[in-house]
Amino acid sequence: MTVPDPIDLARLRRSCAKCSLHELCVPAGVNADELRQLERIVQRNRRIERGERLFWPGAPLAGVYVAREGAFKTTVIDESGEEQVLGFHLPGEVIGLDAMGTGVHRCEAVALATAEVCEIPFAQLTAVAAQLPSLQQQLMRVIGQGVDRDQVHLGVLVRRQANERVALFLHGLGERLRTAGQSATRIRLPMSREDIARYLGLALETVSRGFSRLQEDGVIEVTGRQVEVVDAALLARLAHGVEERVPRRGRIA
Amino acid sequence: MTVPDPIDLARLRRSCAKCSLHELCVPAGVNADELRQLERIVQRNRRIERGERLFWPGAPLAGVYVAREGAFKTTVIDESGEEQVLGFHLPGEVIGLDAMGTGVHRCEAVALATAEVCEIPFAQLTAVAAQLPSLQQQLMRVIGQGVDRDQVHLGVLVRRQANERVALFLHGLGERLRTAGQSATRIRLPMSREDIARYLGLALETVSRGFSRLQEDGVIEVTGRQVEVVDAALLARLAHGVEERVPRRGRIA
DNA sequence: CGTCGATTTGACGCTGGTCAAACCTTGTGG
DNA sequence: CCACAAGGTTTGACCAGCGTCAAATCGACG
């Protein structure tokens, strides 16, 4: 056991944050020694070209990934052959925990743009985690948050109007871009309208109409994949289902 | 360390299976000693009346639960005040892992019928798990399977026609009842049409019409909450989205 | 046997899916 | 640097599926 070293810790934290591993490390619960151990097993700077896959259904869980640059989508093909987009993964967000349960991936992760990822080999992660209760706990927490996100997503897909879904998507994306250290108002979408549609459970034309409608209403400016959020406050309200130009139909008192 | 004791193990396994803890214990990975330790901390036979809650949003994670009798639904209230049903929990299925991430429940669990539950206090579970890597892993596996289920649910809610959703719901329920040791064809639904509707993201009238349609097509016999599956094979096909796409009032060929 | 909530059934209109075509953006090659 | 090609995106027209409102009927339980 060594005495905690504030300077080293700070450097590692920065490096970790830079490498976007902060979801695993930063939110407290991991001390200097543990962070150092974790750092040691991280494999850095693996380059993934646009369209390349990080893993695919049936692949054994090799590791968890965090993009430093670029973006990913995770998808499954349902039995009718349709692609369902489960989620998008921006820099700093953990990818690959879906195989946690079975040890085998059920979805595939595709790079939406050329990406730089860090990889934590799973065997070594569990080995380290087994010796570090706080990391174990942190791992649980990250998984739990993933579940939370899924449930939120689920809530969005059901019972929300198409335009609300689009607004919520854009709003959420902005928030996440902000945490990733990018602008939340000047957005270059890494995914196509079709990807968004398959994420939101809509037809791609409906997504497109949603964007157009938001532009008409002065909420955003759209030019293809370039989106400028003009009225962030309004976007947030629309996302939370507060208004909607057409008065809402019958609702609980 | 004691030598594994097959007789004791068998007894415990049975007891565990009877108590419906099998999701945590049975699927291998837990040996006799570990199972014994786990058994020791299980609190048995807590009685929950219909409508009573096991936990609610904001409640700290006290333990994980498994119903031995009865059934539960887990729900959240979205920001517009609507109740969204996240899932139903039949005997043998673990309840309460949603608080894994944060340590605080985000949903509430309500008994749909008077229930008998076993509780594993969380603090003790983690304490035991910390010393038993295989249990730790098994815990992860159960959580992972929960995530899987969520993603399947998600897949159902999107892109599926209303009638397909109803068929898939009934089919899935039957399968789960079978694993719980009950009949998969003679079903007494513990939940209302409204609960089902809020689970599937439909209006309750649409769910009702879905049941009626399945009856017209000779798939099931419905009398209120009593459902008899007449043609299980057809139900399975409908659930998997094969056929359907039948002209307005035509029967399935 | 009566009451009350749950379920079914009917009628109608809106949201959003589908088909189709025009338009824009981006990348490529001349 | 421009022209062209190939996706990607937008927009329009149409209509069917399903949500909403309303009322009748059923089932559970006192």
Side-chain angles (χ1 to χ4, degrees), chain B residues 170-182:
Chain B
L170 267 180
H171 178 67
L173 193 68
E175 294 298 307
R176 288 161 63 195
L177 283 171
R178 172 177 300 142
T179 23
Q182 300 179 35

Side-chain angles (χ1 to χ4, degrees), chain A residues 46-220:
Chain A
R46 184 171 152 198
R47 189 185 180 81
I48 307 287
E49 297 297 329
R50 158 192 252 256
E52 218 177 310
R53 296 185 297 177
L54 216 42
F55 50 81
W56 45 87
L61 172 58
V64 296
Y65 308 85
V66 178
R68 173 211 292 263
E69 279 290 333
F72 287 83
K73 65 172 178 181
T74 44
T75 65
V76 291
I77 309 294
D78 65 28
E79 58 270 23
S80 55
E82 293 287 313
E83 176 181 293
Q84 165 68 23
V85 174
L86 299 176
F88 297 108
H89 305 267
L90 305 179
E93 298 174 347
V94 178
I95 311 172
L97 289 176
D98 72 290
M100 215 65 190
T102 57
V104 173
H105 289 285
R106 286 162 305 91
C107 61
E108 71 171 49
V110 185
L112 295 168
T114 301
E116 298 274 344
V117 305
C118 291
E119 174 179 355
I120 309 177
F122 189 65
Q124 299 180 46
L125 176 61
T126 48
V128 174
Q131 300 175 332
L132 302 177
S134 60
L135 178 59
Q136 183 79 56
Q137 206 176 339
Q138 181 61 21
L139 198 52
M140 285 258 185
R141 192 167 297 135
V142 171
I143 296 172
Q145 285 165 357
V147 176
D148 287 9
R149 215 196 317 277
D150 285 355
Q151 286 191 354
V152 170
H153 181 201
L154 201 152
V156 172
L157 291 179
V158 195
R159 216 170 295 290
R160 301 302 251 200
Q161 304 282 96
N163 288 350
E164 281 179 306
R165 296 186 200 184
V166 173
L168 196 58
F169 167 74
L170 267 179
H171 178 67
L173 193 68
E175 295 297 308
R176 287 161 64 194
L177 283 171
R178 172 177 299 141
T179 29
Q182 300 179 32
S183 167
T185 56
R186 199 174 194 80
I187 303 173
R188 176 117 219 144
L189 298 173
M191 71 290 284
S192 68
R193 296 288 188 273
E194 185 165 19
D195 285 334
I196 299 172
R198 292 183 168 173
Y199 176 68
L200 295 178
L202 299 171
L204 71 88
E205 295 94 329
T206 306
V207 173
S208 181
R209 280 186 246 270
F211 277 80
S212 300
R213 173 67 174 277
L214 286 172
Q215 182 162 27
E216 284 172 29
D217 292 354
V219 183
I220 59 175

